[in-house]
Amino acid sequence: MNGGDEVVAAPAGPPNPLDWKFSQVFGERTAGEEVQEVDIISAIEFYKSGDYLATGDRGGRVVLFERTDTKDHGGSRRDSERMDYSISRHPEFRYKTEFQSHEPEFDYLKSLEIEEKINKIRWCQTANGALFLLSTNDKTIKFWKVQEKKVKKISEMNVDPLKGLGNGSIASSSSSTIHLANGGSPEGHLSNDFTFPPGGIPSLRLPTVVSSHETSLMARCRRVYAHAHDYHINSISNNSDGETFISADDLRINLWNLEISNQSFNIVDVKPANMEDLTEVITSAEFHPTHCNTLAYSSSKGSIRLVDLRQSALCDSHAKLFEEQEAPGSRSFFTEIIASISDIKFGKDGRYILSRDYMTLKLWDINMDSGPVATFQVHEYLRPKLCDLYENDSIFDKFECCLSGDGLRVATGSYSNLFRVFGCAPGSAEATTLEASKNPMRRQVPTPSRPSRSLGNSITRVVRRGAETPGVDANGNSFDFTTKLLHLAWHPTENAIACAAANSLYMYYA
């Protein structure tokens, strides 16, 4: 496979590594162009059908993109169209609209500036041709409705100007005063002996408002969910019931009803009575994709807790705990920092959870809490540089992760605008490194110094792969910690990835 790691053959026949190609870029920078802080993308999310894509940026804007390659074939022929066009077609998107979701605010009670930066975007159920989505900054969640509306125009004026009554004026029979339709003053005066003819003025017409064929997209904020978090919101997640969602900050998770903005229920609270006893914080939370009573949240200690809302109103006691035991003698100053989970995602069927910490991606089976079923090394070669990473705060960077719709692959970002794709099917050794540029295969990892190995054909056996040579980056070059690919999303039904490199949105397909 061009540019991929060596493939280990397995009797079960794992899928071949994907050949990734550049598809599109939005907001591409010219050489030497300076990136404005407000334009840097901070959130990416596909709609569940894959027909829409939303991005949020540090300037509080939400930009929507619409898929175009399926429009011509009609939704009713989707399945046959997939068969007929699977070879030549790949997802293509176009700019749809954008709106200002959040503005910078100031909390006068705490003397604290609240950034307008969009932390997360989540799509909600569409209805009546309108799109609905949730967006949040550090403190406030908003529920948006985006709908196409026909532009209305006034087609006729009040009075036929040829009839001599002036520009839109109406004369009164009892007074010489002339009243204009818009309340203005007339430029001329009619004679005092002017009277309405019997039956009125035949040429008087009321303004007619007509809908033109033109349409414009209107974004309207339907609800604002505010004043429920003392700490910065790091996650929002929709429930599969279509009625509720959760929001999580460092210490609490709240449950909301989409229709009620002035009340939420606190379902997880890890705040100790004495803040000096605080040992871990919540880093990410997500609802199960199909079970409306189940959610998972991760912590800064590297653990994932599965919660069942049916057990109690306050879910401080978890139903299941997933964590990997420390190897004896491996503890160091950086152990807890690099163990902190920055993102978790459920697989499409809800059987597996993908987690990202600073060094690795881990895949967990919710039916097996003894340890991860697969571990993918992403930043192992940075281990000798942890002191430098701590000094420049890069060790606290929060990388997101994503799973493919078929559950066969996982992906996450890295430095130098690189992202990595791993195969997680039984027997697969796929580990591809791509660059967020028009030539994604330009930078490739050489054959790893420690060859990939797979222990058995079952996904419930632990596999470790993707380790690179320590001391150098994935390209053998000095590493650029200023260009980091934190945000990416996998298309729900296709092998296509959208990722953000500063203010540019790159899209790839395989």
Side-chain angles (χ1 to χ4, degrees):
M1 178 62 211
N2 180 25
D5 287 350
E6 70 178 28
V7 179
V8 179
N16 292 326
L18 295 175
D19 181 17
W20 291 94
K21 297 180 179 67
F22 169 78
S23 173
Q24 292 172 281
V25 59
F26 296 95
E28 186 183 19
R29 278 178 292 156
T30 57
E33 182 185 349
E34 190 176 338
V35 180
Q36 299 297 317
E37 178 83 9
V38 294
D39 294 332
I40 294 176
I41 296 172
S42 56
I44 302 179
E45 184 78 2
F46 278 105
Y47 181 62
K48 64 180 180 182
S49 69
D51 289 338
Y52 300 98
L53 174 66
T55 66
D57 63 26
R58 293 189 185 179
R61 293 179 298 255
V62 172
V63 183
L64 305 185
F65 300 89
E66 178 180 41
R67 188 170 178 177
T68 58
D69 59 295
T70 57
K71 296 282 183 188
D72 301 334
H73 310 298
S76 61
R77 297 169 54 195
R78 179 70 59 88
D79 291 335
S80 59
E81 178 259 321
R82 274 191 184 144
M83 293 170 60
D84 296 340
Y85 295 88
S86 60
I87 298 174
S88 59
R89 182 182 57 81
H90 64 270
E92 290 181 353
F93 287 80
R94 69 179 176 198
Y95 170 87
K96 186 174 177 69
T97 188
E98 68 180 84
F99 56 90
Q100 188 72 34
S101 173
H102 287 71
E103 300 279 359
E105 298 174 57
F106 191 81
D107 187 333
Y108 291 97
L109 291 176
K110 296 182 179 178
S111 295
L112 189 71
E113 284 186 24
I114 303 170
E115 282 185 307
E116 66 269 39
K117 173 192 164 193
I118 305 296
N119 289 345
K120 295 287 178 184
I121 296 172
R122 289 292 180 265
W123 289 94
C124 302
Q125 291 278 8
T126 58
N128 301 325
L131 302 173
F132 294 90
L133 47 88
L134 289 165
S135 62
T136 185
N137 65 353
D138 285 339
K139 295 290 183 181
T140 306
I141 307 157
K142 295 186 179 182
F143 183 48
W144 290 91
K145 178 181 182 180
V146 182
Q147 191 174 29
E148 278 193 0
K149 293 204 170 182
K150 289 189 175 179
V151 177
K152 293 184 177 180
K153 295 181 177 179
I154 295 176
S155 65
E156 296 176 352
M157 296 302 292
N158 261 13
V159 180
D160 189 341
L162 300 178
K163 297 299 181 180
L165 284 181
N167 184 15
S169 60
I170 303 172
S172 168
S173 58
S174 60
S175 167
S176 62
T177 305
I178 301 168
H179 302 280
L180 289 182
N182 61 1
S185 301
E187 292 181 15
H189 296 278
L190 296 175
S191 59
N192 290 342
D193 57 353
F194 178 84
T195 56
F196 280 96
I201 303 175
S203 61
L204 181 64
R205 298 193 302 272
L206 293 174
T208 305
V209 179
V210 295
S211 294
S212 68
H213 295 295
E214 297 175 39
T215 59
S216 68
L217 275 163
M218 302 288 290
R220 191 160 64 92
C221 184
R222 294 285 303 274
R223 284 176 194 88
V224 177
Y225 312 90
H227 312 302
H229 288 278
D230 291 330
Y231 305 93
H232 289 179
I233 298 170
N234 56 48
S235 305
I236 51 174
S237 179
N238 304 78
N239 197 341
S240 57
D241 64 9
E243 296 179 0
T244 56
F245 71 93
I246 54 169
S247 58
D249 64 22
D250 291 344
L251 299 180
R252 294 187 178 96
I253 300 176
N254 293 334
L255 178 68
W256 302 82
N257 188 302
L258 281 166
E259 302 294 322
I260 303 168
S261 60
N262 61 355
Q263 185 181 39
S264 66
F265 295 95
N266 177 228
I267 55 174
V268 175
D269 188 347
V270 300
K271 185 178 180 180
N274 183 355
M275 284 295 280
E276 290 181 2
D277 299 331
L278 183 68
T279 58
E280 63 181 331
V281 295
I282 298 167
T283 57
S284 183
E286 187 169 77
F287 261 121
H288 190 284
T290 55
H291 297 168
C292 62
N293 56 281
T294 306
L295 64 94
Y297 69 92
S298 60
S299 84
S300 57
K301 277 194 167 179
S303 61
I304 301 170
R305 289 172 173 84
L306 205 63
V307 169
D308 190 337
L309 297 176
R310 297 170 299 185
Q311 286 185 336
S312 64
L314 189 62
C315 304
D316 287 343
S317 59
H318 50 268
K320 283 189 177 178
L321 174 67
F322 304 94
E323 60 184 354
E324 193 169 24
Q325 296 304 316
E326 248 177 61
S330 64
R331 190 165 184 82
S332 72
F333 173 77
F334 303 109
T335 300
E336 274 197 24
I337 300 174
I338 61 176
S340 177
I341 294 174
S342 55
D343 190 27
I344 58 169
K345 293 279 172 35
F346 272 101
K348 197 172 186 179
D349 61 358
R351 170 76 184 271
Y352 297 98
I353 299 174
L354 181 68
S355 68
R356 171 71 205 263
D357 57 46
Y358 190 72
M359 306 299 281
T360 65
L361 270 177
K362 291 187 176 87
L363 192 68
W364 308 79
D365 185 335
I366 64 170
N367 297 328
M368 191 182 92
D369 53 9
S370 57
V373 296
T375 299
F376 309 97
Q377 302 296 337
V378 182
H379 281 164
E380 186 59 34
Y381 55 88
L382 293 179
R383 198 172 288 276
K385 301 179 181 177
L386 290 179
C387 282
D388 298 335
L389 294 162
Y390 181 76
E391 288 294 324
N392 63 22
D393 284 346
S394 294
I395 201 168
F396 302 107
D397 288 334
K398 293 176 170 55
F399 293 93
E400 292 180 2
C401 58
C402 58
L403 296 95
S404 61
D406 56 16
L408 297 178
R409 293 173 180 86
V410 296
T412 191
S414 181
Y415 294 105
S416 297
N417 281 344
L418 301 179
F419 64 100
R420 308 212 65 198
V421 179
F422 298 96
C424 55
S428 172
E430 180 178 354
T432 310
T433 301
L434 302 128
E435 182 188 31
S437 68
K438 286 189 174 180
N439 183 9
M441 308 299 278
R442 181 173 66 180
R443 297 186 173 186
Q444 287 302 319
V445 253
T447 303
S449 55
R450 291 202 298 267
S452 305
R453 61 189 179 93
S454 177
L455 307 178
N457 295 328
S458 169
I459 198 168
T460 57
R461 301 295 299 276
V462 174
V463 291
R464 293 178 178 270
R465 55 182 175 272
E468 296 95 351
T469 310
V472 295
D473 72 350
N475 322 304
N477 303 324
S478 57
F479 220 77
D480 182 5
F481 295 113
T482 61
T483 54
K484 56 194 83 169
L485 199 150
L486 302 176
H487 311 285
L488 77 172
W490 201 300
H491 192 281
T493 59
E494 314 258 359
N495 282 323
I497 290 177
C499 55
N503 65 327
S504 304
L505 178 68
Y506 287 91
M507 309 194 74
Y508 303 93
Y509 72 98

